[in-house]
Coordinates of all heavy atoms in Angstrom, one line a residue:
M4 N 46.8 16.8 -13.2 CA 46.9 18.2 -13.3 C 48.0 18.7 -12.5 O 48.3 18.2 -11.4 CB 45.5 18.8 -12.9 CG 45.5 20.3 -12.8 SD 43.9 20.9 -12.4 CE 43.5 21.8 -13.8
I5 N 48.8 19.7 -13.0 CA 50.0 20.1 -12.3 C 49.8 20.6 -10.9 O 50.6 20.4 -10.1 CB 50.7 21.1 -13.2 CG1 51.0 20.5 -14.5 CG2 51.9 21.8 -12.5 CD1 52.4 20.6 -15.0
S6 N 48.7 21.3 -10.7 CA 48.4 21.9 -9.4 C 48.2 20.8 -8.3 O 48.3 21.1 -7.1 CB 47.2 22.9 -9.4 OG 46.1 22.2 -9.8
E7 N 47.9 19.6 -8.8 CA 47.7 18.5 -7.8 C 49.0 17.7 -7.5 O 49.0 16.9 -6.6 CB 46.6 17.5 -8.4 CG 45.3 18.1 -8.6 CD 44.3 17.3 -9.4 OE1 44.8 16.2 -9.9 OE2 43.2 17.6 -9.5
I8 N 50.0 18.0 -8.2 CA 51.3 17.3 -7.9 C 51.9 17.8 -6.6 O 52.1 19.0 -6.4 CB 52.3 17.6 -9.0 CG1 51.7 17.0 -10.4 CG2 53.7 17.0 -8.8 CD1 52.5 17.3 -11.6
S9 N 52.2 16.9 -5.7 CA 52.7 17.3 -4.4 C 54.2 17.3 -4.3 O 54.8 18.0 -3.6 CB 52.1 16.4 -3.3 OG 52.5 15.1 -3.5
Y10 N 54.8 16.4 -5.1 CA 56.3 16.4 -5.1 C 56.8 15.6 -6.3 O 56.0 14.9 -6.9 CB 56.8 15.8 -3.9 CG 56.6 14.4 -3.7 CD1 57.5 13.4 -4.1 CD2 55.3 14.0 -3.1 CE1 57.2 12.1 -3.9 CE2 55.1 12.6 -3.0 CZ 56.0 11.7 -3.4 OH 55.8 10.4 -3.2
L11 N 58.0 15.8 -6.7 CA 58.6 15.0 -7.7 C 59.5 14.0 -7.1 O 60.5 14.4 -6.4 CB 59.5 15.9 -8.7 CG 58.7 16.9 -9.4 CD1 59.7 17.9 -10.2 CD2 57.8 16.3 -10.4
P12 N 59.3 12.7 -7.2 CA 60.1 11.7 -6.6 C 61.6 11.8 -6.9 O 61.9 12.0 -8.1 CB 59.5 10.4 -7.1 CG 58.1 10.7 -7.6 CD 58.2 12.1 -8.0
G13 N 62.4 11.9 -5.9 CA 63.8 12.0 -6.1 C 64.4 13.3 -6.5 O 65.5 13.5 -6.6
A14 N 63.5 14.3 -6.7 CA 63.9 15.7 -7.1 C 64.4 16.5 -5.9 O 65.0 17.5 -6.1 CB 62.8 16.4 -7.8
F15 N 64.0 16.1 -4.7 CA 64.3 16.9 -3.5 C 65.2 16.1 -2.5 O 65.0 14.9 -2.4 CB 63.0 17.4 -2.8 CG 62.2 18.2 -3.7 CD1 61.0 17.7 -4.2 CD2 62.5 19.5 -4.1 CE1 60.2 18.4 -5.0 CE2 61.7 20.2 -4.9 CZ 60.5 19.7 -5.4
S16 N 65.9 16.8 -1.8 CA 66.7 16.1 -0.7 C 65.7 15.8 0.4 O 64.6 16.4 0.5 CB 67.9 17.0 -0.2 OG 67.4 18.1 0.4
E17 N 66.2 15.0 1.3 CA 65.3 14.6 2.4 C 65.0 15.8 3.4 O 64.0 15.8 4.1 CB 65.9 13.5 3.2 CG 66.0 12.2 2.4 CD 66.6 11.1 3.2 OE1 67.1 11.3 4.3 OE2 66.6 9.9 2.7
S18 N 65.8 16.8 3.4 CA 65.6 17.9 4.3 C 64.5 18.8 3.8 O 64.1 19.7 4.5 CB 66.9 18.7 4.5 OG 67.4 19.2 3.2
V19 N 64.1 18.7 2.5 CA 63.1 19.6 1.9 C 61.7 18.9 2.2 O 61.5 17.8 2.0 CB 63.4 19.8 0.5 CG1 62.2 20.6 -0.2 CG2 64.7 20.5 0.2
S20 N 60.8 19.7 2.6 CA 59.4 19.3 2.8 C 58.8 18.8 1.5 O 59.1 19.3 0.4 CB 58.6 20.4 3.4 OG 57.2 20.0 3.4
T21 N 57.9 17.8 1.6 CA 57.1 17.4 0.4 C 55.8 18.0 0.4 O 54.8 17.4 -0.1 CB 57.0 15.9 0.4 OG1 56.4 15.4 1.6 CG2 58.3 15.2 0.2
A22 N 55.6 19.2 1.0 CA 54.4 19.9 0.9 C 54.0 20.3 -0.5 O 54.9 20.3 -1.4 CB 54.5 21.3 1.7
P23 N 52.7 20.4 -0.8 CA 52.3 20.7 -2.2 C 53.0 21.9 -2.8 O 53.2 22.9 -2.1 CB 50.8 21.0 -2.0 CG 50.4 20.3 -0.8 CD 51.6 20.3 0.1
I24 N 53.4 21.8 -4.0 CA 54.1 22.9 -4.7 C 53.0 23.7 -5.4 O 52.2 23.2 -6.1 CB 55.1 22.3 -5.7 CG1 56.2 21.6 -5.0 CG2 55.6 23.5 -6.6 CD1 57.1 20.8 -6.0
E25 N 53.1 25.0 -5.2 CA 52.1 25.9 -5.9 C 52.8 26.5 -7.1 O 53.7 27.3 -7.0 CB 51.8 27.1 -4.9 CG 50.7 28.0 -5.5 CD 49.4 27.4 -5.6 OE1 49.0 26.5 -4.9 OE2 48.6 27.9 -6.5
P26 N 52.6 25.9 -8.3 CA 53.3 26.4 -9.5 C 53.0 27.9 -9.7 O 51.9 28.4 -9.5 CB 52.6 25.6 -10.6 CG 52.0 24.4 -10.0 CD 51.6 24.9 -8.6
P27 N 54.0 28.7 -10.2 CA 53.8 30.1 -10.4 C 52.7 30.4 -11.4 O 52.1 31.5 -11.4 CB 55.2 30.6 -10.8 CG 55.9 29.4 -11.1 CD 55.3 28.2 -10.5
C28 N 52.5 29.5 -12.3 CA 51.5 29.8 -13.4 C 50.0 29.9 -12.8 O 49.2 30.4 -13.5 CB 51.5 28.7 -14.4 SG 51.3 27.1 -13.8
T29 N 49.8 29.4 -11.6 CA 48.5 29.6 -11.0 C 48.1 31.0 -10.6 O 47.0 31.3 -10.3 CB 48.3 28.6 -9.8 OG1 49.2 28.9 -8.8 CG2 48.5 27.1 -10.3
Q30 N 49.1 31.8 -10.5 CA 48.9 33.2 -10.0 C 48.2 34.0 -11.1 O 47.4 34.9 -10.8 CB 50.3 33.9 -9.6 CG 50.9 33.1 -8.5 CD 50.1 33.0 -7.3 OE1 49.5 34.0 -6.8 NE2 50.1 31.8 -6.7
S31 N 48.6 33.9 -12.4 CA 48.0 34.6 -13.5 C 47.9 33.8 -14.7 O 48.7 33.9 -15.6 CB 48.7 35.9 -13.8 OG 50.1 35.7 -14.0
P32 N 47.0 32.8 -14.7 CA 47.0 31.8 -15.8 C 46.7 32.4 -17.2 O 47.2 31.9 -18.2 CB 45.9 30.8 -15.4 CG 45.1 31.5 -14.4 CD 46.0 32.5 -13.7
E33 N 46.1 33.5 -17.2 CA 45.7 34.2 -18.5 C 47.0 34.6 -19.3 O 47.1 34.6 -20.5 CB 44.8 35.4 -18.3 CG 45.5 36.6 -17.6 CD 45.5 36.4 -16.1 OE1 44.9 35.5 -15.5 OE2 46.1 37.3 -15.5
L34 N 48.1 34.9 -18.6 CA 49.4 35.2 -19.1 C 49.9 34.1 -20.0 O 50.5 34.3 -21.0 CB 50.4 35.5 -18.0 CG 51.7 36.1 -18.4 CD1 51.6 37.5 -19.0 CD2 52.6 36.2 -17.1
F35 N 49.6 32.9 -19.7 CA 50.2 31.7 -20.3 C 49.4 31.3 -21.6 O 49.8 30.4 -22.3 CB 50.2 30.5 -19.4 CG 51.2 30.8 -18.3 CD1 50.9 31.5 -17.2 CD2 52.5 30.3 -18.4 CE1 51.8 31.8 -16.2 CE2 53.5 30.5 -17.4 CZ 53.1 31.3 -16.3
F36 N 48.3 32.0 -21.9 CA 47.5 31.8 -23.1 C 47.3 33.1 -23.8 O 46.3 33.3 -24.5 CB 46.2 31.2 -22.7 CG 46.4 29.8 -22.0 CD1 46.4 29.7 -20.6 CD2 46.6 28.7 -22.8 CE1 46.6 28.5 -20.0 CE2 46.8 27.5 -22.2 CZ 46.8 27.4 -20.8
A37 N 48.2 34.0 -23.7 CA 48.0 35.4 -24.3 C 48.3 35.2 -25.8 O 48.8 34.3 -26.3 CB 49.1 36.3 -23.7
E38 N 47.9 36.3 -26.6 CA 48.0 36.3 -28.0 C 49.3 37.0 -28.4 O 49.8 36.8 -29.5 CB 46.8 37.0 -28.6 CG 45.5 36.3 -28.5 CD 45.5 35.1 -29.4 OE1 46.1 35.1 -30.5 OE2 44.9 34.1 -29.0
Q39 N 49.8 37.9 -27.6 CA 51.0 38.8 -27.9 C 52.3 38.2 -27.4 O 52.3 37.7 -26.2 CB 50.7 40.2 -27.5 CG 49.5 40.8 -28.0 CD 49.5 40.9 -29.5 OE1 50.5 41.3 -30.1 NE2 48.4 40.7 -30.1
M40 N 53.3 38.4 -28.1 CA 54.6 37.9 -27.7 C 55.2 38.5 -26.4 O 55.7 37.7 -25.6 CB 55.7 38.0 -28.8 CG 55.6 37.0 -29.9 SD 55.7 35.3 -29.2 CE 57.3 35.3 -28.5
P41 N 55.0 39.7 -26.1 CA 55.5 40.3 -24.8 C 54.9 39.6 -23.6 O 55.6 39.2 -22.7 CB 55.1 41.8 -24.8 CG 55.0 42.1 -26.3 CD 54.5 40.9 -27.0
Q42 N 53.6 39.2 -23.7 CA 53.0 38.5 -22.6 C 53.5 37.0 -22.5 O 53.7 36.5 -21.4 CB 51.5 38.5 -22.7 CG 50.9 39.9 -22.4 CD 50.8 40.7 -23.6 OE1 51.2 40.3 -24.7 NE2 50.3 41.9 -23.5
L43 N 53.7 36.4 -23.7 CA 54.2 35.1 -23.7 C 55.6 35.0 -23.2 O 56.0 34.1 -22.5 CB 54.1 34.5 -25.1 CG 52.7 34.3 -25.6 CD1 52.7 33.9 -27.1 CD2 51.9 33.3 -24.8
R44 N 56.5 36.0 -23.5 CA 57.8 36.1 -23.0 C 57.8 36.2 -21.5 O 58.6 35.6 -20.8 CB 58.6 37.2 -23.6 CG 58.9 37.0 -25.1 CD 60.0 36.1 -25.4 NE 60.2 36.0 -26.8 CZ 60.3 34.9 -27.5 NH1 60.3 33.8 -26.9 NH2 60.5 34.9 -28.8
A45 N 56.9 37.0 -21.0 CA 56.7 37.2 -19.5 C 56.4 35.8 -18.9 O 56.9 35.5 -17.8 CB 55.7 38.3 -19.2
A46 N 55.5 35.1 -19.5 CA 55.1 33.8 -19.0 C 56.3 32.8 -19.0 O 56.5 32.1 -18.1 CB 54.0 33.2 -19.9
Q47 N 57.1 32.9 -20.1 CA 58.3 32.1 -20.1 C 59.3 32.4 -19.0 O 59.9 31.5 -18.4 CB 59.0 32.2 -21.4 CG 58.3 31.5 -22.6 CD 59.0 31.8 -23.9 OE1 59.3 32.9 -24.3 NE2 59.3 30.6 -24.6
Q48 N 59.4 33.7 -18.6 CA 60.2 34.1 -17.5 C 59.7 33.5 -16.2 O 60.5 33.2 -15.3 CB 60.4 35.6 -17.5 CG 61.2 36.1 -18.6 CD 61.3 37.7 -18.6 OE1 60.5 38.3 -18.0 NE2 62.3 38.2 -19.3
V49 N 58.4 33.5 -16.0 CA 57.8 33.0 -14.8 C 58.2 31.5 -14.7 O 58.5 31.0 -13.6 CB 56.3 33.2 -14.8 CG1 55.6 32.4 -13.7 CG2 56.0 34.7 -14.7
C50 N 58.2 30.8 -15.8 CA 58.5 29.3 -15.9 C 59.9 29.0 -15.5 O 60.2 27.9 -15.0 CB 58.2 28.7 -17.2 SG 56.5 28.6 -17.6
E51 N 60.8 30.0 -15.7 CA 62.3 29.7 -15.5 C 62.6 29.2 -14.1 O 63.5 28.4 -13.9 CB 63.1 30.9 -15.8 CG 63.2 31.3 -17.2 CD 64.0 32.5 -17.5 OE1 64.6 33.1 -16.5 OE2 64.1 33.0 -18.6
Q52 N 61.9 29.7 -13.1 CA 62.2 29.3 -11.7 C 61.3 28.1 -11.2 O 61.5 27.7 -10.0 CB 62.0 30.5 -10.7 CG 62.8 31.7 -11.1 CD 64.3 31.3 -11.1 OE1 64.8 30.6 -10.2 NE2 65.0 31.8 -12.1
C53 N 60.4 27.6 -12.0 CA 59.4 26.6 -11.5 C 60.1 25.2 -11.5 O 60.7 24.8 -12.5 CB 58.2 26.6 -12.5 SG 57.0 25.3 -11.9
P54 N 60.0 24.5 -10.4 CA 60.6 23.2 -10.3 C 59.9 22.1 -11.1 O 60.3 21.0 -11.3 CB 60.6 22.9 -8.8 CG 59.4 23.7 -8.3 CD 59.4 24.9 -9.1
L55 N 58.7 22.5 -11.6 CA 57.9 21.5 -12.4 C 58.0 21.8 -13.9 O 57.2 21.1 -14.6 CB 56.4 21.7 -11.9 CG 56.1 21.4 -10.5 CD1 54.6 21.7 -10.2 CD2 56.4 20.0 -10.1
R56 N 58.9 22.6 -14.3 CA 59.0 23.0 -15.7 C 59.1 21.8 -16.6 O 58.3 21.7 -17.6 CB 60.1 24.0 -15.9 CG 60.2 24.5 -17.3 CD 61.3 25.6 -17.4 NE 62.5 25.0 -17.1 CZ 63.7 25.6 -16.8 NH1 63.6 26.9 -16.7 NH2 64.8 25.0 -16.6
A57 N 60.0 20.9 -16.4 CA 60.2 19.8 -17.3 C 59.0 18.9 -17.3 O 58.6 18.4 -18.4 CB 61.5 19.0 -16.9
L58 N 58.5 18.6 -16.2 CA 57.3 17.8 -16.1 C 56.1 18.4 -16.8 O 55.3 17.8 -17.5 CB 56.9 17.5 -14.6 CG 55.7 16.6 -14.4 CD1 55.9 15.2 -14.9 CD2 55.4 16.6 -12.9
C59 N 55.9 19.7 -16.6 CA 54.9 20.5 -17.3 C 54.9 20.3 -18.7 O 53.9 20.1 -19.4 CB 54.9 22.0 -16.8 SG 53.7 23.0 -17.6
L60 N 56.1 20.6 -19.3 CA 56.3 20.5 -20.8 C 56.0 19.1 -21.3 O 55.3 18.9 -22.3 CB 57.7 21.0 -21.2 CG 58.0 20.9 -22.7 CD1 57.0 21.7 -23.5 CD2 59.4 21.3 -22.9
S61 N 56.6 18.1 -20.6 CA 56.4 16.7 -21.1 C 55.0 16.3 -21.1 O 54.5 15.6 -22.0 CB 57.3 15.7 -20.4 OG 56.9 15.6 -19.0
E62 N 54.3 16.6 -20.0 CA 52.9 16.3 -20.0 C 52.0 17.0 -20.9 O 51.0 16.5 -21.5 CB 52.4 16.5 -18.5 CG 52.9 15.4 -17.6 CD 52.3 15.4 -16.2 OE1 51.4 16.3 -16.0 OE2 52.6 14.6 -15.4
A63 N 52.3 18.3 -21.2 CA 51.6 19.1 -22.2 C 51.7 18.5 -23.6 O 50.8 18.3 -24.3 CB 52.0 20.5 -22.2
L64 N 52.9 18.1 -23.9 CA 53.2 17.4 -25.2 C 52.5 16.1 -25.3 O 51.9 15.7 -26.3 CB 54.7 17.3 -25.5 CG 55.5 18.6 -25.7 CD1 57.0 18.4 -25.7 CD2 55.0 19.3 -26.9
E65 N 52.5 15.4 -24.2 CA 51.9 14.0 -24.1 C 50.4 14.2 -24.3 O 49.7 13.4 -25.0 CB 52.2 13.4 -22.8 CG 51.9 11.9 -22.7 CD 52.4 11.3 -21.4 OE1 53.6 11.3 -21.2 OE2 51.5 10.9 -20.6
R66 N 49.8 15.2 -23.7 CA 48.3 15.4 -23.8 C 47.9 16.1 -25.1 O 46.8 16.1 -25.5 CB 47.9 16.4 -22.7 CG 47.7 15.8 -21.3 CD 47.0 16.8 -20.4 NE 47.6 18.1 -20.4 CZ 48.6 18.5 -19.6 NH1 49.1 17.7 -18.8 NH2 49.0 19.7 -19.6
G67 N 48.9 16.6 -25.9 CA 48.6 17.3 -27.1 C 48.0 18.7 -26.9 O 47.1 19.1 -27.7
E68 N 48.5 19.4 -25.9 CA 48.0 20.7 -25.7 C 48.1 21.6 -26.9 O 49.2 21.6 -27.5 CB 48.7 21.4 -24.5 CG 48.4 20.8 -23.2 CD 47.0 21.2 -22.7 OE1 46.3 22.0 -23.2 OE2 46.6 20.5 -21.7
P69 N 47.1 22.2 -27.4 CA 47.1 22.9 -28.7 C 47.9 24.2 -28.6 O 48.5 24.6 -29.6 CB 45.6 23.1 -29.0 CG 44.9 23.1 -27.7 CD 45.7 22.1 -26.8
W70 N 47.9 24.9 -27.5 CA 48.6 26.2 -27.5 C 48.8 26.7 -26.0 O 48.3 26.1 -25.1 CB 47.7 27.2 -28.3 CG 46.4 27.5 -27.7 CD1 45.3 26.6 -27.7 CD2 45.9 28.7 -27.1 NE1 44.2 27.2 -27.1 CE2 44.6 28.5 -26.7 CE3 46.5 29.9 -26.8 CZ2 43.8 29.4 -26.0 CZ3 45.7 30.8 -26.1 CH2 44.4 30.6 -25.8
G71 N 49.6 27.7 -25.9 CA 50.0 28.2 -24.6 C 51.4 28.1 -24.3 O 52.2 27.5 -25.1
V72 N 51.8 28.6 -23.1 CA 53.2 28.4 -22.6 C 53.1 27.3 -21.6 O 52.4 27.3 -20.6 CB 53.7 29.7 -22.0 CG1 55.1 29.4 -21.3 CG2 53.8 30.8 -23.0
W73 N 53.9 26.2 -21.9 CA 54.0 25.0 -21.0 C 55.4 24.7 -20.8 O 56.2 24.5 -21.7 CB 53.3 23.8 -21.7 CG 51.8 24.0 -21.9 CD1 51.2 24.6 -23.0 CD2 50.8 23.8 -21.0 NE1 49.9 24.6 -22.8 CE2 49.6 24.1 -21.6 CE3 50.8 23.2 -19.7 CZ2 48.3 24.0 -21.0 CZ3 49.6 23.1 -19.1 CH2 48.4 23.5 -19.7
G74 N 55.8 24.7 -19.6 CA 57.2 24.3 -19.2 C 58.2 25.3 -19.8 O 59.3 24.9 -20.2
G75 N 57.8 26.6 -20.0 CA 58.7 27.6 -20.5 C 58.8 27.6 -22.0 O 59.6 28.4 -22.6
K76 N 58.0 26.8 -22.7 CA 58.0 26.7 -24.2 C 56.7 27.2 -24.7 O 55.6 26.9 -24.1 CB 58.3 25.3 -24.7 CG 59.7 24.8 -24.2 CD 60.8 25.5 -24.8 CE 62.2 24.9 -24.4 NZ 63.3 25.6 -24.8
I77 N 56.7 27.8 -25.9 CA 55.4 28.2 -26.6 C 55.0 27.1 -27.4 O 55.7 26.6 -28.3 CB 55.7 29.5 -27.4 CG1 56.2 30.6 -26.4 CG2 54.4 29.9 -28.1 CD1 56.6 31.9 -27.2
L78 N 53.7 26.7 -27.3 CA 53.1 25.7 -28.1 C 52.1 26.3 -29.0 O 51.2 27.1 -28.6 CB 52.5 24.6 -27.3 CG 53.3 23.8 -26.4 CD1 52.5 22.7 -25.7 CD2 54.4 23.1 -27.1
V79 N 52.2 26.0 -30.3 CA 51.1 26.4 -31.3 C 50.8 25.2 -32.1 O 51.6 24.5 -32.6 CB 51.7 27.5 -32.2 CG1 50.7 27.8 -33.3 CG2 52.0 28.8 -31.5
D80 N 49.5 24.8 -32.1 CA 49.0 23.6 -32.7 C 49.8 22.4 -32.2 O 50.1 21.4 -32.9 CB 49.1 23.7 -34.2 CG 48.2 24.8 -34.8 OD1 47.1 25.0 -34.3 OD2 48.6 25.4 -35.8
G81 N 50.1 22.3 -30.9 CA 50.7 21.2 -30.3 C 52.2 21.0 -30.5 O 52.8 20.1 -30.2
V82 N 52.8 22.1 -31.2 CA 54.2 22.0 -31.6 C 55.0 23.2 -30.9 O 54.5 24.3 -30.8 CB 54.4 22.1 -33.1 CG1 55.8 22.1 -33.5 CG2 53.6 21.0 -33.8
I83 N 56.2 22.9 -30.4 CA 57.0 24.0 -29.8 C 57.5 24.9 -30.9 O 58.0 24.5 -31.9 CB 58.2 23.4 -29.1 CG1 57.7 22.5 -27.9 CG2 59.1 24.5 -28.6 CD1 58.8 21.7 -27.2
V84 N 57.3 26.2 -30.7 CA 57.7 27.2 -31.6 C 58.5 28.3 -30.9 O 58.4 28.4 -29.7 CB 56.5 27.9 -32.4 CG1 55.8 26.9 -33.2 CG2 55.6 28.6 -31.4
E85 N 59.4 29.0 -31.6 CA 60.2 30.1 -31.0 C 59.3 31.3 -30.7 O 59.5 32.0 -29.7 CB 61.3 30.5 -32.0 CG 62.4 29.4 -32.0 CD 63.1 29.3 -30.6 OE1 63.4 30.3 -29.9 OE2 63.3 28.1 -30.2
H86 N 58.4 31.6 -31.6 CA 57.5 32.8 -31.4 C 56.2 32.5 -32.0 O 56.1 31.7 -32.9 CB 58.2 34.1 -31.9 CG 58.3 34.1 -33.4 ND1 59.4 33.5 -34.0 CD2 57.6 34.6 -34.4 CE1 59.3 33.6 -35.3 NE2 58.2 34.3 -35.6
K87 N 55.2 33.2 -31.5 CA 53.8 33.0 -32.0 C 53.5 34.2 -32.8 O 53.7 35.4 -32.5 CB 52.9 32.9 -30.8 CG 51.5 32.7 -31.2 CD 50.6 32.6 -29.9 CE 49.1 32.4 -30.3 NZ 48.3 32.4 -29.1
R88 N 53.0 33.9 -34.0 CA 52.6 35.0 -34.9 C 51.3 35.5 -34.5 O 50.4 34.8 -34.0 CB 52.4 34.4 -36.3 CG 52.7 35.4 -37.4 CD 52.5 34.8 -38.8 NE 51.2 35.3 -39.1 CZ 50.3 34.7 -39.9 NH1 50.5 33.5 -40.3 NH2 49.2 35.3 -40.2
G89 N 51.1 36.8 -34.6 CA 49.8 37.4 -34.2 C 48.7 37.1 -35.1 O 48.9 36.4 -36.2
R90 N 47.5 37.4 -34.7 CA 46.3 37.1 -35.5 C 46.3 38.0 -36.8 O 46.9 39.0 -36.9 CB 45.1 37.5 -34.8 CG 44.8 36.5 -33.6 CD 43.4 36.9 -33.0 NE 43.0 35.8 -32.1 CZ 41.9 35.9 -31.5 NH1 41.1 36.9 -31.6 NH2 41.5 34.9 -30.7
G91 N 45.6 37.5 -37.8 CA 45.4 38.2 -39.0 C 46.6 38.0 -40.0 O 47.4 37.2 -39.8
R92 N 46.5 38.7 -41.1 CA 47.6 38.6 -42.1 C 48.8 39.3 -41.6 O 48.8 40.3 -40.9 CB 47.1 39.3 -43.4 CG 45.9 38.6 -44.0 CD 45.4 39.4 -45.2 NE 46.5 39.4 -46.2 CZ 46.3 39.9 -47.4 NH1 45.2 40.5 -47.7 NH2 47.3 39.9 -48.3
P93 N 50.0 38.7 -42.0 CA 51.2 39.3 -41.6 C 51.4 40.7 -42.3 O 50.9 40.9 -43.4 CB 52.3 38.3 -42.1 CG 51.6 37.4 -43.0 CD 50.2 37.5 -42.8
R94 N 52.2 41.6 -41.7 CA 52.4 42.9 -42.3 C 53.3 42.6 -43.6 O 54.0 41.7 -43.7 CB 53.1 43.7 -41.3 CG 52.3 44.1 -40.2 CD 53.0 44.8 -39.0 NE 54.1 45.7 -39.5 CZ 54.6 46.7 -38.8 NH1 54.1 46.9 -37.6 NH2 55.5 47.4 -39.3
K95 N 53.2 43.6 -44.5 CA 53.9 43.4 -45.8 C 55.4 43.3 -45.5 O 56.1 42.5 -46.1 CB 53.6 44.6 -46.7 CG 52.2 44.6 -47.3 CD 52.1 45.7 -48.2 CE 50.6 45.7 -48.8 NZ 50.4 46.8 -49.7
D96 N 56.0 44.1 -44.6 CA 57.4 44.0 -44.3 C 57.8 42.7 -43.7 O 58.9 42.1 -43.9 CB 57.9 45.1 -43.4 CG 57.2 45.2 -42.1 OD1 56.1 44.6 -41.9 OD2 57.7 46.0 -41.3
E97 N 56.9 42.0 -43.0 CA 57.1 40.7 -42.4 C 57.1 39.6 -43.5 O 57.9 38.7 -43.5 CB 56.2 40.3 -41.3 CG 56.3 41.1 -40.0 CD 55.3 40.8 -39.0 OE1 54.5 39.8 -39.2 OE2 55.2 41.5 -38.0
R98 N 56.2 39.7 -44.5 CA 56.1 38.8 -45.5 C 57.3 38.8 -46.5 O 57.8 37.8 -46.9 CB 54.8 39.0 -46.4 CG 53.6 38.5 -45.6 CD 52.4 38.6 -46.5 NE 52.0 40.0 -46.7 CZ 51.1 40.4 -47.4 NH1 50.3 39.6 -48.1 NH2 50.8 41.7 -47.5
A99 N 57.9 40.0 -46.6 CA 59.0 40.1 -47.5 C 60.2 39.4 -46.9 O 61.1 38.9 -47.7 CB 59.3 41.6 -47.7
T100 N 60.4 39.4 -45.6 CA 61.5 38.7 -45.0 C 61.3 37.3 -44.7 O 62.3 36.5 -44.5 CB 61.9 39.4 -43.6 OG1 60.8 39.3 -42.7 CG2 62.2 40.9 -43.8
A101 N 60.1 36.8 -44.8 CA 59.8 35.4 -44.5 C 60.1 34.5 -45.7 O 60.4 34.7 -46.7 CB 58.4 35.2 -44.1

């Protein structure tokens, strides 16, 4: 589990402490599993500064996480997507452009 990771070997210089890293996603985890794109984009922005971003994404893909924001990427059915479609049928104007 990411919250249990204390450090990334070789990722820090010797002057940096190896104290446990508190990932930013632990502050508001519901944001990372939202249904709407504005919230998912906000979650992606939170991921931008996280030192565990690459590890988070690789482990989520390895575990086959079905959905959510992992490592700054949106997963739907275990696949990275650019945007998540909302629930229900698409609007008529969206179907015409698709």
Side-chain angles (χ1 to χ4, degrees):
M4 179 177 240
I5 299 230
S6 62
E7 296 171 354
I8 298 172
S9 61
Y10 68 95
L11 297 174
F15 302 106
S16 68
E17 291 180 356
S18 63
V19 177
S20 170
T21 57
I24 296 171
E25 183 72 25
C28 57
T29 59
Q30 301 302 314
S31 54
E33 67 281 352
L34 187 65
F35 294 81
F36 299 97
E38 292 289 328
Q39 302 299 319
M40 280 306 297
Q42 289 88 0
L43 294 174
R44 294 281 183 230
Q47 287 179 306
Q48 289 177 343
V49 170
C50 287
E51 286 180 9
Q52 303 301 318
C53 182
L55 302 175
R56 185 174 64 195
L58 180 63
C59 176
L60 177 60
S61 67
E62 287 189 358
L64 292 172
E65 195 174 296
R66 283 191 309 271
E68 288 291 343
W70 61 292
V72 175
W73 295 92
K76 302 292 183 183
I77 300 170
L78 297 182
V79 175
D80 295 326
V82 177
I83 297 173
V84 297
E85 286 297 314
H86 64 279
K87 182 178 178 181
R88 213 184 101 213
R90 288 185 170 182
R92 293 177 64 177
R94 294 171 34 160
K95 288 183 181 181
D96 58 346
E97 288 179 11
R98 285 189 287 179
T100 61

